[in-house]
Amino acid sequence: MIDNDCVSAIPNRTVVPGGWEVAVLDRAEERQGRVEGQARLDDDSVGDVARPIVVASVPANHVYVRHLSAETGSNAVRLPDPDPAGGTAAASQKWWPPVMLEPSWVETHDFDVFHLHFGFDARSVADLQALVASLRERGRPFVFTVHDLRNPHHVDRELHDQQLDVLVPAADRLITLTPGAADEIRRRWGREAVILPHPHVVPFETMGAASARRSVRRSGRLQSDFRVGVHVKSLRAGMHPHPLVPTLVETLSELTGAVLQVNGHCDVLDEGGARYDAELATLLHDYAERGLLDLRVHDYFTDDELWRYLSSLDVSVLPYRFGTHSGWLEACRDLGTAVIAPTCGYFADQAPVLSYQHDESGFDPESLARAVRTAYDGHAVAATSVEERRHQRSVVGSMHDRLYAELLRTSA
């Protein structure tokens, strides 16, 4: 992987901070099966636009999307999410279910580019076909960022695959976060995707304060344990922490000063909860009563509570058996918390992690134990800095602006 501090161009590729390559194919050239003369996002011919580009982003009020705009401003203006209840989005800050996915909204509102990220989980194939038809009727370019190739909330992948079979071929430009995901898109649909890394999740001020506290801890001036965390949250479909816990308990019991902390929401771990999992709750409470792990059951964290929680850990173990990318992983990077990630999905492509074998085919306990011992021995990946994340955000935002401008230029 290339380590590069600035945007640089190579034939039909652009390397951005974090080492990711950006590849762009003109939509018409893809249809003709040609690869010569590809449009590049760093092509000076894109030029500046006379006015801000108005983007209908689905959603707009999501941390990933908010951080696509440079701190100093952007050539793109993202419309606020319409309130599903009919009020003002600015007052409610609600975006689910996304009103912008309604063909009637597309037909009656002004925007230059439609950019879909999340929120189509519950939409039928017919709904998405109608959305695409409305965009075509209005002549509005359609950008789709493929965050999930396997929906972490769906036990069965059939619906999500059908949704992608509508959206991926229809998009005028595709974006994804990792080379592995781009390769899968190429294999499944014969499309090329722009590869742009996930921007920071945690506010820069919080990142800086967390880095300072961690430096004090690591200097030895504060006594601290080696804390490994697993957060089962509300146990969405893609999570399977059950086999991991015994391995973590056994491994950490052999390491001096090591503590396993397991957090989970009340709806999963309290009897009578809406998603109560008796097997997991019994397992965790049994270990906790024997003093083998620190169990914390609570409702959803606020953002500030989540940052404090992640900052308190040395390592966060992702208990996924399927998925694609992870915002949780990015928050850990921001806060200096090492990540042990499963081999499913493209987490190791997304950022430096310690990997263990876990997917829908099974789980390898020894690989998890080995990753934990590696982290304990001090070989976890160093945190990203505020300066690196700030520069990355600027570049990724600029690349989005250029992509939008190029689309408008070529579709005019």
Side-chain angles (χ1 to χ4, degrees):
M1 190 170 290
I2 302 170
D3 182 12
N4 200 346
D5 291 330
C6 60
V7 178
S8 60
I10 56 180
N12 302 322
R13 296 277 176 175
T14 298
V15 181
V16 301
W20 308 131
E21 293 182 340
V22 179
V24 183
L25 273 176
D26 182 81
R27 187 71 180 93
E29 288 163 352
E30 280 190 294
R31 292 194 184 103
Q32 298 169 19
R34 294 191 283 114
V35 295
E36 295 181 359
Q38 295 172 7
R40 294 206 315 251
L41 289 186
D42 60 322
D43 190 338
D44 291 337
S45 66
V46 170
D48 294 325
V49 294
R51 61 171 177 77
I53 298 170
V54 179
V55 180
S57 179
V58 183
N61 190 31
H62 184 285
V63 66
Y64 173 93
V65 179
R66 293 197 304 269
H67 291 173
L68 296 182
S69 296
E71 294 177 278
T72 55
S74 170
N75 286 335
V77 174
R78 292 173 175 86
L79 296 175
D81 296 304
D83 183 358
T88 62
S92 67
Q93 294 191 335
K94 296 175 183 176
W95 64 269
W96 179 270
V99 176
M100 288 184 186
L101 294 182
E102 297 292 340
S104 59
W105 187 95
V106 171
E107 293 160 3
T108 56
H109 289 77
D110 291 327
F111 59 92
D112 297 309
V113 177
F114 191 91
H115 192 161
L116 177 59
H117 293 272
F118 314 106
F120 57 91
D121 309 51
R123 298 284 169 157
S124 70
V125 168
D127 290 338
L128 297 178
Q129 289 171 334
L131 169 68
V132 169
S134 295
L135 291 170
R136 292 287 177 262
E137 179 68 23
R138 291 211 61 192
R140 295 299 188 265
F142 172 35
V143 179
F144 178 35
T145 296
V146 186
H147 293 270
D148 296 313
L149 286 160
R150 175 75 163 90
N151 192 313
H153 301 284
H154 293 182
V155 174
D156 187 287
R157 67 178 299 151
E158 182 178 6
L159 174 59
H160 191 68
D161 284 349
Q162 292 173 347
Q163 292 166 328
L164 293 180
D165 282 341
V166 174
L167 297 171
V168 173
D172 296 290
R173 284 289 187 274
L174 294 171
I175 299 173
T176 194
L177 310 183
T178 58
D183 288 344
E184 182 174 337
I185 291 167
R186 188 180 302 111
R187 288 194 307 270
R188 292 174 64 180
W189 293 282
R191 295 292 310 275
E192 294 293 333
V194 178
I195 306 167
L196 292 173
H198 197 301
H200 71 103
V201 172
V202 179
F204 291 133
E205 183 178 357
T206 305
M207 285 179 61
S211 177
R213 288 193 300 271
R214 201 171 288 275
S215 294
V216 171
R217 285 177 56 193
R218 288 173 176 166
S219 71
R221 284 176 283 171
L222 290 177
Q223 291 294 112
S224 62
D225 49 37
F226 177 78
R227 190 163 288 264
V228 175
V230 178
H231 201 315
V232 303
K233 303 187 232 182
S234 288
L235 205 62
R236 64 191 187 190
M239 287 188 169
H240 190 47
H242 307 63
L244 277 62
V245 173
T247 297
L248 290 169
V249 167
E250 180 181 355
T251 303
L252 291 170
S253 68
E254 300 169 353
L255 304 176
T256 302
V259 175
L260 174 60
Q261 178 178 325
V262 179
N263 288 60
H265 293 157
C266 299
D267 60 345
V268 167
L269 297 180
D270 281 351
E271 192 169 356
R275 299 171 58 87
Y276 180 62
D277 187 304
E279 178 187 356
L280 181 61
T282 300
L283 176 72
L284 294 177
H285 282 291
D286 178 62
Y287 277 131
E289 290 168 3
R290 293 157 57 193
L292 296 174
L293 61 77
D294 179 358
L295 178 60
R296 306 188 185 190
V297 182
H298 50 80
D299 289 320
Y300 286 78
F301 283 146
T302 65
D303 284 351
D304 287 341
E305 289 170 339
L306 178 59
W307 310 150
R308 285 195 294 272
Y309 159 71
L310 291 176
S311 297
S312 73
L313 304 177
D314 294 283
V315 178
S316 180
V317 179
L318 306 187
Y320 309 148
R321 62 192 176 103
F322 60 80
T324 311
H325 302 116
S326 171
W328 187 276
L329 184 161
E330 298 292 346
C332 288
R333 293 184 67 207
D334 291 340
L335 296 167
T337 303
V339 174
I340 295 177
T343 49
C344 63
Y346 300 106
F347 307 115
D349 265 5
Q350 185 176 344
V353 299
L354 297 169
S355 295
Y356 73 101
Q357 179 65 42
H358 191 198
D359 56 29
E360 291 181 272
S361 68
F363 161 62
D364 174 28
E366 180 50 39
S367 66
L368 177 58
R370 186 166 54 249
V372 170
R373 289 191 291 266
T374 298
Y376 181 82
D377 290 338
H379 300 302
V381 179
T384 187
S385 69
V386 171
E387 292 73 20
E388 290 169 336
R389 285 299 221 184
R390 178 166 272 134
H391 179 60
Q392 180 195 59
R393 174 172 173 173
S394 175
V395 172
V396 171
S398 175
M399 298 298 278
H400 277 78
D401 290 351
R402 285 175 176 268
L403 184 148
Y404 298 146
E406 181 193 347
L407 266 179
L408 292 176
R409 177 179 62 81
T410 57
S411 64

